[in-house]
Amino acid sequence: MSVVLDIAGLNKSFGGIKATDDLNLSVEAGELHAVIGPNGAGKTTLISQLCGTQTPDSGRIRFKGRDITGMKPYARAHLGITRSFQITSLILEMSVIDNIALAVQARDGHSFRFIRAARKIAPLRREAMALLQRVGLADKAELPTGALSHGEHRHMEIAIALGAQADLMLLDEPMAGLGIEESAEMVTLLRDLKGKHSILLIEHDMDAVFALADRISVLVYGHIIATGTPDEIRSNDAVQHAYLGEE
Amino acid sequence: MISLTRRSWLTLAVMALLAVLPPVFYLTGNPYYLDLATRLAILAIAAVSLNLILGYGGLVSFGHAAFVGLGAYAVGIPAHHWLYGGLDFLATTSGLVQIPLAVAVCALFALVTGAICLRTKGVYFIMITMAFAQMIYYLIVSIEEYGGDDGLVIDTRSELPVVNLDNPLHLFGLSYVALVVAMLLVRMIVRSRFGMVLQGAKGNPERMVTLGFNVYAYRLTAYVISGAMSGFAGALLGNFTTFISPEMMDWSRSGELMFMVILGGAATTLGPVLGAIVFIVAEEALSSFTIYWHLPFGLMLMAVVLFARGGLMGMLRGRGEDRE
Ligand SMILES: Nc1ncnc2c1ncn2[C@@H]1O[C@H](COP(=O)(O)OP(=O)(O)OP(=O)(O)O)[C@@H](O)[C@H]1O
Ligand SMILES: [Mg+2]
């Protein structure tokens, strides 16, 4: 299997806090690689550095063999990296379908197109609608995004990540704040994505992580203390001690 | 079947009245109202163009009067040299030169200042747009040849084919048509894919960047379009007042344009025009009572911001019509 994402020696500090500490990690093509770790371990900071909204202090990030460490966030998106946000990050003023259509539109390369009305462009609308169908929100397409529930927002996040048709999806706690039933729906959705995309999944929900992941990395204080299959992680003493044992 | 929303009906009605009433007043011996409507239409063009970045782009530019002023000087300076000599390459009374010059100068000014301003956010953006406008203000004040802060009289209006700007009806007609074109242009832009990106970046810039949109480039483009349109309005304003001065670029003038957009209803087609109407009417009604007529204005704006989010257009919103 080929390596899609390769992170070597990544460091990032905020003042005195080391949010990322000599971090090494790789994601292989088609793999679902989960990162778990306690609150404040530096999981979101890792994702922000991968998609470029935060700059590492040192280290190197390679995507499909290409060094992207200093690349602008929008340029990384064009290469095929997309993320979802832990704290829902949608355009609340726009309708649900407009949010998704923007993700589809983003693939066109550029949007310096001024004449035709975006809402009248059939392929854009059709694909956005198909994505909404896939996450079960087709009937809410025309509602203002602000009117949807938290769980529905989480599904929109996934639809947007799908719309980007990215090779690498960085998913930051897609189940954050979901109820039991909604979480189960999300697991089904993620299982459906598995194998079709390379995924770096951050998640607190251990049942979901152990059910879905090919490999799991455990992040504590910015440093990865163990990487392995779910079985290996479950029986790893250091992990038991530092993290799982607490539960 | 075409079914129009309440807003569309209102837009058509207001624009029809604005087309018909002023000439009727003029022809029945009330030329003053035609002048008022001409000024209204010109200010409304500037407000409509400000709405593109302020309303749809969420970029609170506090220096838009600079573009209007620059556009007016792009008419005044060539006309000045045509009459008094000097700078032969600039000297002309042809509107076919002056108006494109106004648009080009403003586009360039927007490109250069926007490239810097758009690197900042929030209050800093407001302050720096205002600072650039004040810079132009003092630049013009410092040029003796163009009258400094005494201003400059435009002796000859722009010469154009077909229309004669010395004829008030023609000047009104041109301003009105330009306003309608400006409204349609902004409407087309905000509905386009470009416009969706601009509006998306207003709601959530981080999301747009991670989707792959270079938000900075889209905003800069909108800023240039908006500046160029305001420059056009400035060229008309110079022809209307035939007297231009740095005062046109004062920060309070920029504030008035913001007032029109916010009071009328930001991010709507008709809003800035409604705002301009309220502004002109209030100015007329209040300035005869008190020189402090800006005060009730400020209070009115506060009331709108506090009690009627979305401005006048927001108050008129029907069910299911909250989006353009
Ligand atoms: N912009 C910032 N400025 C200063 N400190 C920050 C910043 N972002 C994150 N931190 C700090 O870095 C550390 C890692 O934060 P991060 O959000 O990456 O953790 P996380 O693993 O995603 O936590 P959670 O599980 O709560 O989402 C925390 O101590 C946090 O306070
Ligand atoms: Mg986090």
Side-chain angles (χ1 to χ4, degrees), chain B residues 160-176:
Chain B
L160 287 169
V162 188
V163 290
N164 169 16
L165 299 187
D166 287 325
N167 178 334
L169 271 179
H170 285 200
L171 185 54
F172 170 76
L174 179 64
S175 304
Y176 177 84

Side-chain angles (χ1 to χ4, degrees), chain A residues 43-45 86 172-173 202:
Chain A
K43 303 179 297 292
T44 299
T45 306
Q86 176 177 1
D172 196 354
E173 299 197 26
I202 289 174

Side-chain angles (χ1 to χ4, degrees), chain A residues 6-25:
Chain A
D6 181 31
I7 307 166
L10 206 66
N11 285 289
K12 172 87 183 168
S13 303
F14 296 108
I17 302 167
K18 255 193 153 307
T20 310
D21 181 11
D22 189 28
L23 188 149
N24 299 287
L25 184 150

Side-chain angles (χ1 to χ4, degrees), chain B residues 116-129:
Chain B
I116 298 165
C117 297
L118 288 169
R119 296 199 177 276
T120 65
K121 276 186 226 150
V123 171
Y124 298 100
F125 181 80
I126 300 177
M127 300 304 281
I128 194 169
T129 50

Side-chain angles (χ1 to χ4, degrees), chain A residues 12 37 47 53 59 106 108 159 162 166 186 188 201 212 227 230 232 244 246:
Chain A
K12 172 87 183 168
I47 289 211
T53 47
D108 288 354
L162 285 172
M186 187 62 81
T188 313
L201 171 71
L212 289 167
T227 296
E232 287 165 1
L244 294 177
E246 291 167 14

